[in-house]
Amino acid sequence: MTMTTSLAELSRAGVSIWLDDLSRSRITSGSLAALVADKQVVGVTTNPTIFAAALADSEAYAAQLTPLARDGVDLETAVEMLTCDDVAKAADILEPVYRASGGVDGRVSIEVPPDAARDTEATIAHATRLWEAINRPNVMIKIPATLEGLPAITAVVARGISVNVTLIFALDRYRKVVEAYISGLERAREAGIDLPGIHSVASIFVSRVDTEVDRRLTALGTDEALRLRGQAGVANCRLAHQIAGQLFTSERFEVLEAAGAHTQRPLWASTGTKNPDYPDTLYVSELVAPGTVNTMPEATLEAFADHGEVRGDTIGSGYGQANALFDRLAALGIDYAEVMEQLEAEGLQKFDASWAELLDTVRTQLEGARA
């Protein structure tokens, strides 16, 4: 396939291609617009790590930092204004995609601050404020799928806010995420809120699952254990896709669908391979199915553009194989629940560290602008 053909084939297979990156320079240079025009990109996701890297480029944000420093804006407000401005500009670039897709794509996601991940009411407040501050219909607010985040998802969706549920690892948690979304739609309908305007994706992380499961398999060191490496991440996503198919064809959801509700699409996140021994397009080519989203770092996007292969639906036919894999892992003593709990805790810690780095970076820049 040519560079254009491989991405076009992926899009035709029903996969929405989103970019897992954003920065002021990407916006102002025309890079994002070019990816939308030439590389089938129809959405953008962000997180604290992405913004920490973006805001380290002080020159790109200097024009906005100077008046914020002059006006004495506090640190967290400054960070929110800087990141919301990037998201709003990106949403404007993607607005034609949003209109052409009937609101399905053309989406830009921004996450609530990580320190709210274990606080339901704080998550609801942050999500509502971000939604109102950006004031673009094609924005999605990212809420971590912690136990405390589940009721926040319901409450935010009930207000008509589109949500990207993030940091999903375990299948039982994913099931609860879908149920939280459906509950939010039911409450929105009761409140007279227009259901067709509400969209959601559920971001299920892929490569981190392989990293941890592979570590445990390598420690076991048996031939069977070593043969099972590099398979758990894809298998987990395939079983999540099966759950989505069950819950979004239920009688409960059919009532909402008749009122204009949209399914919550599975989104494959953390799709850059961390093990150099694995194909760099592994988490794209093995996770193709209609009605899914794959958000990719630019390196993965370019790799797939260069040599990615689309072999039709690679998810729906793999449910049985995925279940068999986890049975074999369990027989080897790999505790699925323990792995997933560890990954959630590590994910939150990583975002906490990135958020602290982001705050430190902007603090230094504000002090420099005031000098």
Side-chain angles (χ1 to χ4, degrees):
M1 291 183 181
T2 66
M3 182 172 289
T4 302
T5 303
S6 58
L7 291 171
E9 285 289 326
L10 185 63
S11 180
R12 280 194 290 270
V15 178
S16 291
I17 301 167
W18 290 9
L19 177 71
D20 194 29
D21 188 54
L22 186 64
S23 66
R24 186 67 54 88
S25 59
R26 187 180 287 283
I27 292 167
T28 58
S29 68
S31 168
L32 177 58
L35 290 173
V36 172
D38 303 330
K39 297 289 180 65
Q40 305 288 326
V41 169
V42 294
V44 170
T45 50
T46 68
N47 59 45
T49 303
I50 286 170
F51 278 129
L55 282 154
D57 181 6
S58 59
E59 290 185 9
Y61 294 89
Q64 191 173 3
L65 280 162
T66 300
L68 292 177
R70 183 187 62 234
D71 295 341
V73 173
D74 68 85
L75 178 60
E76 293 200 3
T77 300
V79 169
E80 185 172 298
M81 292 175 71
L82 291 164
T83 55
C84 284
D85 195 54
D86 278 358
V87 169
K89 287 182 169 64
D92 290 343
I93 291 170
L94 284 156
E95 197 267 342
V97 175
Y98 169 76
R99 283 189 286 105
S101 67
V104 174
D105 284 313
R107 297 279 173 174
V108 185
S109 297
I110 183 171
E111 189 162 344
V112 298
D115 58 9
R118 300 291 188 189
D119 186 329
T120 299
E121 294 305 318
T123 295
I124 295 169
H126 280 300
T128 303
R129 188 174 69 250
L130 287 171
W131 177 259
E132 293 173 349
I134 299 169
N135 194 29
R136 301 293 193 282
N138 54 329
V139 164
M140 281 184 166
I141 308 302
K142 292 179 78 172
I143 296 177
T146 57
L147 289 174
E148 298 84 355
L150 296 173
I153 294 162
T154 297
V156 169
V157 169
R159 297 181 182 185
I161 297 173
S162 293
V163 174
N164 177 342
V165 184
T166 188
L167 281 179
I168 303 172
F169 296 98
L171 294 172
D172 60 343
R173 184 65 57 81
Y174 172 61
R175 187 178 291 274
K176 291 176 181 176
V177 164
V178 176
E179 291 171 350
Y181 171 62
I182 292 174
S183 294
L185 291 174
E186 289 170 338
R187 286 173 51 180
R189 186 186 183 203
E190 291 170 3
I193 292 174
D194 185 38
L195 296 189
I198 304 171
H199 288 259
S200 184
V201 295
S203 296
I204 300 155
F205 282 47
V206 192
S207 65
R208 295 187 194 182
V209 174
D210 273 342
T211 298
E212 179 55 29
V213 172
D214 285 3
R215 185 187 69 78
R216 296 178 184 223
L217 290 170
T218 301
L220 289 173
T222 65
D223 288 344
E224 181 183 8
L226 297 179
R227 281 195 300 269
L228 297 181
R229 291 180 299 181
Q231 300 178 49
V234 167
N236 200 52
C237 290
R238 287 174 174 162
L239 294 179
H241 186 267
Q242 184 180 37
I243 290 170
Q246 294 164 351
L247 295 181
F248 287 115
T249 55
S250 66
E251 290 184 10
R252 181 185 179 190
F253 185 73
E254 284 176 357
V255 172
L256 295 165
E257 193 170 34
H262 302 281
T263 60
Q264 180 188 59
R265 291 184 295 168
L267 179 151
W268 318 129
S270 182
T271 55
T273 50
K274 293 179 170 57
N275 187 331
D277 294 334
Y278 298 160
D280 52 6
T281 59
L282 174 67
Y283 302 128
V284 183
S285 60
E286 295 299 321
L287 292 171
V288 175
T292 60
V293 182
N294 196 309
T295 187
M296 311 176 204
E298 188 170 18
T300 302
L301 177 72
E302 294 294 347
F304 198 86
D306 180 65
H307 52 267
E309 294 183 0
V310 179
R311 306 188 308 276
D313 187 330
T314 52
I315 295 181
S317 62
Y319 297 156
Q321 182 182 358
N323 274 308
L325 173 70
F326 284 115
D327 287 342
R328 294 172 69 185
L329 291 174
L332 290 172
I334 305 294
D335 188 322
Y336 177 86
E338 180 182 282
V339 168
M340 299 304 167
E341 288 172 7
Q342 178 180 327
L343 289 172
E344 179 180 294
E346 289 176 352
L348 292 171
Q349 289 169 2
K350 288 175 182 177
F351 281 167
D352 277 337
S354 295
W355 188 251
E357 179 186 350
L358 173 58
L359 291 175
D360 285 343
T361 297
V362 175
R363 181 185 294 109
T364 300
Q365 292 173 348
L366 285 171
E367 289 171 352
R370 292 185 184 116

